[in-house]
Amino acid sequence: MDLEVRWHHVSHYSRKHLMVSRNLGSVGYDSNEKTFDKILVANRGEIACRVIKTCKKMGIKTVAIHSDVDASSVHVKMADEAVCVGPAPTTKSYLNMDAIMEAIKKTRAQAVHPGYGFLSENKEFARCLAAEGVIFIGPDTHAIQAMGDKIESKLLAKKAKVNTIPGFDGVVKDAEEAVRIAREIGYPVMIKASAGGGGKGMRIAWDDEETRDGFRLSSQEAASSFGDDRLLIEKFIDNPRHIEIQVLGDKHGNALWLNERECSIQRRNQKVVEEAPSIFLDAETRRAMGEQAVALAKAVKYSSAGTIEFLVDSKKNFYFLEMNTRLQVEHPVTECITGLDLVQEMIRVAKGYPLRHKQADIPINGWAVECRVYAEDPYKSFGLPSIGRLSQYQEPLHLPGVRIDSGIQPGSDISIYYDPMISKLITYGSDRTEALKRMEDALDNYVIRGVTHNIALLREVIINSRFVKGDISTKFLSDVYPDGFKGHMLTKSEKNQLLAIASSLFVAFQLRAQHFQDHSRVPVIKPDIANWELSIKLHDKVHTVVASNSGSTFSVEVDGSKLNVTSTWNLASPLLSVSVDGTQRTVQCLSREAGGSMNIQFLGTVYKMHILTKLAAELNKFMLEKVAEDTSSVLHSPMPGVVVAVSVKPGDMVTEGQEMCVIEAMKMQNSMTAGRAGAVKSVHCRAGDTVGEGDLLVELE
């Protein structure tokens, strides 16, 4: 079966599976190759669903673990059995080794797949499993320990003749030692958790003050996320690309590199967009990186799927960053271009089977792009967490070349307790251009209601001219959006298209309102109006629009331009496919109010408009405008989270930019600072408090 057919087949197949995604390729599952009867998946969300799906295909029974708030989650419904391991906080549930070990004994699971995060790189957990005769589906404990510790892994990489970044090979004791080391290495430096991963516990420092702050915040994040607050410091390579090599090893001394993934689009050191292969690498550099990655894997007798991360400069010099001894979040793009199911390979290796492939067998077939869809507000620091309930949720699996890994469904809650990822949206094409076009279409057709999400940012990234050319680095977002993300900037043509679509929708809703079960109502506006004169406010500018309709086509005059808008006008559908003078657009009407407000998602960005008839617009001029609140003297929480520390008290004098409190949201520490200088009037939070978005934290006089 070729790749194109395979994708189409899986899209059809996936609709039977509780809206979990979903596509793994036409990988061979040998029913005669016995592995395990039952596997416990020590994780939650999309990665738990992902592992369970492969287990089902291999004929393996699965056990899900869950916290009490996750009792109705998709991964729980997918598994054959489920065990509650504690309350919502991760330390009391998904990181609770005693409860998980008890669940293993209770269900008699023979093996455990840890997914990523949580206990996936915890050597103590692997040792506990080994002591009970339970197989850990991952590398041996010595490899987890060696590669999970950034200090030891760097020394081993040097010994294996892998290129490494200049830095301090030891644990930094305190903030002042951090400053001394940073000065010796030379600014800028990267402060990072020794046991870390996933961008947590990492800070870039450009001077002594940032080093002291970075040491404090990174150590707190590291302790919260990994239970280990040790830090190290190394030279920060400015404008690098983040390119990683997927490796796969077995217990017989065999190891392969499965090509690379480009993961340079990041915010706060966390990846947002990934792709395979990298547009930057040539065959020679790819082979050199792959061979060094395999050399390191063999040096630690690595047996499972793992990833060697590199920083690559503009001259294609590459430096070892770290090794993740687990399945990566972005592993689907590698599966797309190689045809391998990495979870299946991990299970086979854990059972003791040798690898089925040779290095020469590993292809680069086509191109794959992954966007991490988060419940985040991209207009705040490129993505501060959002919480809420998914009131409507519809994945774009009807499109060709689309795979979605998710663990949610309509009605699912995105809470403060866990990572705010909604899903991983992956598109595959014969080349990069096709994969990106499919991603653009998939983002337009993705329906997510009830939480704020980052689709606007994702779509802008993949259509950005620099990204399309491959001119990217880990500073891409801050370089392209130095003043923060503002959404899609409409061209004149796109603005006219949006106004024409909005006015057509307005008239379509008015016409529908005049009819009820095939009987005309007493119309508010006469139904025989030939031309609708409308006033549309967009971005504080008022546009006069004239619309008329003939069947399913609206003729709209916008600022002197005439456009024809055609659609089926199924106003009950969350998605509306519209043709504007032959240009096809998929839009979403998110809300519409009687007072004229209408929110439309167009080209990924939500545009707030106010649409009134000419008469209503004339009368609206007599309405008083609401005066905007002065927020310079108050500090509101920009996101839901937990207050970790409060640095001020009533009567204290603060300067602009001074830290007043620290909020932890989804395991990231965020310093909240004063917007202006002044005296503290009152403090409305204490360490340990749970706060919501918009909650008042501190008032200044």
Side-chain angles (χ1 to χ4, degrees):
M1 183 185 291
D2 64 35
L3 278 166
E4 195 65 30
V5 174
R6 180 173 80 223
W7 277 95
H8 184 71
H9 162 73
V10 175
S11 292
H12 172 74
Y13 174 81
S14 67
R15 285 191 280 273
K16 303 174 186 175
H17 281 80
L18 287 168
M19 297 192 68
V20 292
S21 76
R22 317 169 206 201
N23 157 340
L24 298 176
S26 57
V27 181
Y29 296 93
D30 185 354
S31 58
N32 295 317
E33 188 177 78
K34 299 300 179 188
T35 53
F36 303 103
D37 296 324
K38 187 184 291 186
I39 290 175
L40 182 140
V41 183
N43 218 298
R44 66 178 299 280
E46 65 86 11
I47 189 58
C49 295
R50 162 72 189 86
V51 173
I52 291 169
K53 186 168 184 183
T54 286
C55 288
K56 285 182 179 295
K57 289 188 175 184
M58 295 177 73
I60 301 168
K61 285 186 168 22
T62 54
V63 179
I65 60 168
H66 63 89
S67 65
D68 51 11
V69 298
D70 272 346
S72 299
S73 293
V74 175
H75 78 282
V76 173
K77 296 176 182 178
M78 282 184 71
D80 297 291
E81 300 174 60
V83 180
C84 182
V85 289
T90 55
T91 53
K92 297 178 180 178
S93 52
Y94 295 104
L95 291 172
N96 185 344
M97 281 193 267
D98 291 340
I100 295 171
M101 293 304 298
E102 190 60 36
I104 293 166
K105 291 175 186 175
K106 179 180 176 181
T107 59
R108 297 184 179 179
Q110 299 164 312
V112 171
H113 196 300
Y116 55 73
F118 294 139
L119 298 172
S120 62
E121 296 177 282
N122 188 304
K123 57 183 181 292
E124 295 306 321
F125 182 55
R127 286 194 183 113
C128 287
L129 293 174
E132 295 295 328
V134 178
I135 302 296
F136 179 73
I137 301 175
D140 295 335
T141 52
H142 73 89
I144 297 174
Q145 179 170 341
M147 292 292 101
D149 187 306
K150 289 183 172 62
I151 297 165
E152 188 177 348
S153 67
K154 190 173 178 181
L155 294 172
L156 280 164
K158 282 183 178 178
K159 191 175 178 181
K161 295 185 170 51
V162 177
N163 306 342
T164 57
I165 302 170
F168 174 69
D169 298 328
V171 177
V172 184
K173 295 183 181 65
D174 54 39
E176 291 312 310
E177 185 182 33
V179 169
R180 180 181 60 78
I181 292 167
R183 288 173 178 172
E184 289 175 3
I185 296 171
Y187 287 110
V189 296
M190 173 72 85
I191 302 165
K192 53 206 266 192
S194 177
K200 296 180 174 68
M202 296 175 71
R203 290 288 188 287
I204 299 165
W206 295 81
D207 55 37
D208 292 355
E209 185 180 349
E210 288 187 2
T211 300
R212 291 187 182 95
D213 287 345
F215 182 91
R216 175 174 57 88
L217 293 170
S218 289
S219 59
Q220 288 171 357
E221 275 181 13
S224 173
S225 296
F226 315 112
D228 183 343
D229 63 359
R230 294 175 305 142
L231 302 177
L232 69 150
I233 298 179
E234 63 189 20
K235 180 72 175 174
F236 175 66
I237 298 173
D238 208 6
N239 289 321
R241 300 176 83 107
H242 184 130
I243 301 176
E244 59 193 28
I245 301 289
Q246 175 72 56
V247 294
L248 183 63
D250 63 21
K251 299 180 186 298
H252 305 276
N254 303 306
L256 303 170
W257 49 275
L258 308 180
N259 303 311
E260 80 281 1
R261 296 185 288 257
E262 170 94 50
C263 308
S264 296
I265 308 299
Q266 304 180 3
R267 50 100 179 92
R268 299 190 299 280
N269 301 309
Q270 290 185 306
K271 302 160 190 172
V272 180
V273 178
E274 303 105 346
E275 60 184 308
S278 166
I279 194 172
F280 186 62
L281 294 193
D282 52 46
E284 184 180 346
T285 309
R286 176 179 295 115
R287 185 174 62 255
M289 291 176 72
E291 288 173 354
Q292 285 198 18
V294 165
L296 181 56
K298 288 187 173 181
V300 291
K301 297 182 172 60
Y302 195 83
S303 58
S304 192
T307 298
I308 317 289
E309 300 194 345
F310 292 96
L311 291 181
V312 186
D313 68 19
S314 58
K315 296 181 175 61
K316 293 190 173 70
N317 297 309
F318 57 90
Y319 304 95
F320 170 73
L321 183 62
E322 64 184 9
M323 181 176 189
N324 290 310
T325 57
R326 53 169 168 79
L327 198 63
Q328 289 278 90
V329 176
E330 58 273 19
H331 76 274
V333 291
T334 295
E335 293 183 328
C336 290
I337 67 166
T338 62
L340 295 178
D341 179 340
L342 292 179
V343 174
Q344 180 194 13
E345 299 301 328
M346 293 177 77
I347 293 170
R348 291 186 70 260
V349 167
K351 185 62 177 176
Y353 289 108
L355 298 181
R356 298 179 293 174
H357 308 282
K358 304 294 182 188
Q359 190 62 57
D361 300 333
I362 306 302
I364 297 180
N365 194 344
W367 210 285
V369 180
E370 174 178 295
C371 284
R372 298 192 189 187
V373 181
Y374 282 104
E376 290 182 337
D377 185 346
Y379 300 95
K380 296 178 180 178
S381 300
F382 301 115
L384 291 184
S386 166
I387 61 171
R389 176 165 292 173
L390 290 162
S391 57
Q392 198 168 5
Y393 183 71
Q394 185 175 306
E395 297 175 345
L397 289 166
H398 60 287
L399 301 176
V402 172
R403 163 180 170 172
I404 301 180
D405 283 15
S406 72
I408 55 170
Q409 58 191 350
S412 290
D413 281 315
I414 307 294
S415 74
I416 64 170
Y417 298 109
Y418 311 118
D419 189 272
M421 183 188 286
I422 293 173
S423 73
K424 300 180 314 199
L425 174 61
I426 305 103
T427 55
Y428 173 84
S430 58
D431 55 27
R432 191 170 187 260
T433 301
E434 184 175 47
L436 289 176
K437 181 63 177 75
R438 286 179 168 178
M439 180 61 74
E440 194 179 329
D441 292 341
L443 290 167
D444 284 341
N445 282 270
Y446 207 150
V447 179
I448 303 170
R449 309 280 171 85
V451 297
T452 305
H453 54 74
N454 67 334
I455 278 179
L457 175 63
L458 296 172
R459 196 182 188 282
E460 284 304 291
V461 168
I462 63 152
I463 66 169
N464 182 275
S465 58
R466 274 186 55 181
F467 181 84
V468 172
K469 287 188 293 187
D471 177 19
I472 57 178
S473 74
T474 54
K475 290 177 65 179
F476 178 87
L477 290 179
S478 58
D479 285 348
V480 173
Y481 309 107
D483 300 320
F485 180 65
K486 308 295 184 186
H488 182 72
M489 298 294 117
L490 293 167
T491 64
K492 183 179 179 181
S493 171
E494 290 169 346
K495 179 196 70 179
N496 287 346
Q497 287 181 15
L498 174 59
L499 293 171
I501 292 168
S503 56
S504 300
L505 271 169
F506 178 86
V507 175
F509 277 118
Q510 294 292 338
L511 293 174
R512 186 181 71 168
Q514 294 171 3
H515 297 276
F516 181 69
Q517 291 186 342
D518 298 324
H519 296 286
S520 293
R521 290 176 167 182
V522 177
V524 177
I525 301 171
K526 292 181 181 180
D528 58 351
I529 292 177
N531 295 315
W532 297 70
E533 293 185 61
L534 305 175
S535 173
I536 305 181
K537 187 177 182 181
L538 172 67
H539 295 153
D540 296 325
K541 185 177 179 182
V542 177
H543 303 266
T544 300
V545 177
V546 179
S548 60
N549 84 298
S550 174
S552 62
T553 299
F554 286 83
S555 179
V556 184
E557 187 174 330
V558 183
D559 295 339
S561 299
K562 287 191 175 180
L563 299 94
N564 290 314
V565 184
T566 306
S567 176
T568 57
W569 304 110
N570 180 0
L571 302 180
S573 172
L575 294 170
L576 196 63
S577 181
V578 180
S579 174
V580 186
D581 284 348
T583 300
Q584 205 67 31
R585 300 291 190 194
T586 300
V587 300
Q588 299 184 38
C589 183
L590 303 183
S591 65
R592 183 181 64 90
E593 296 175 5
S597 295
M598 185 183 287
N599 290 345
I600 294 180
Q601 186 171 312
F602 174 70
L603 302 177
T605 294
V606 177
Y607 294 93
K608 301 177 187 297
M609 286 172 282
H610 201 249
I611 308 178
L612 297 170
T613 62
K614 186 179 180 181
L615 174 61
E618 288 295 324
L619 296 173
N620 195 56
K621 292 175 183 177
F622 298 100
M623 298 293 288
L624 294 175
E625 286 194 21
K626 185 178 179 181
V627 179
E629 178 189 1
D630 178 13
T631 59
S632 62
S633 61
V634 292
L635 175 66
H636 292 282
S637 177
M639 76 209 105
V642 177
V643 179
V644 174
V646 178
S647 313
V648 295
K649 62 184 183 299
D652 286 355
M653 294 299 296
V654 295
T655 58
E656 183 179 347
Q658 181 178 332
E659 180 178 290
M660 296 202 284
C661 62
V662 176
I663 294 186
E664 182 178 285
M666 277 76 168
K667 300 301 178 186
M668 295 292 285
Q669 303 271 335
N670 302 274
S671 178
M672 302 291 106
T673 59
R676 65 167 175 84
V680 176
K681 179 182 178 182
S682 57
V683 178
H684 297 267
C685 62
R686 294 178 299 178
D689 285 357
T690 298
V691 295
E693 182 179 355
D695 284 2
L696 180 62
L697 302 175
V698 181
E699 282 185 278
L700 301 180
E701 290 181 351

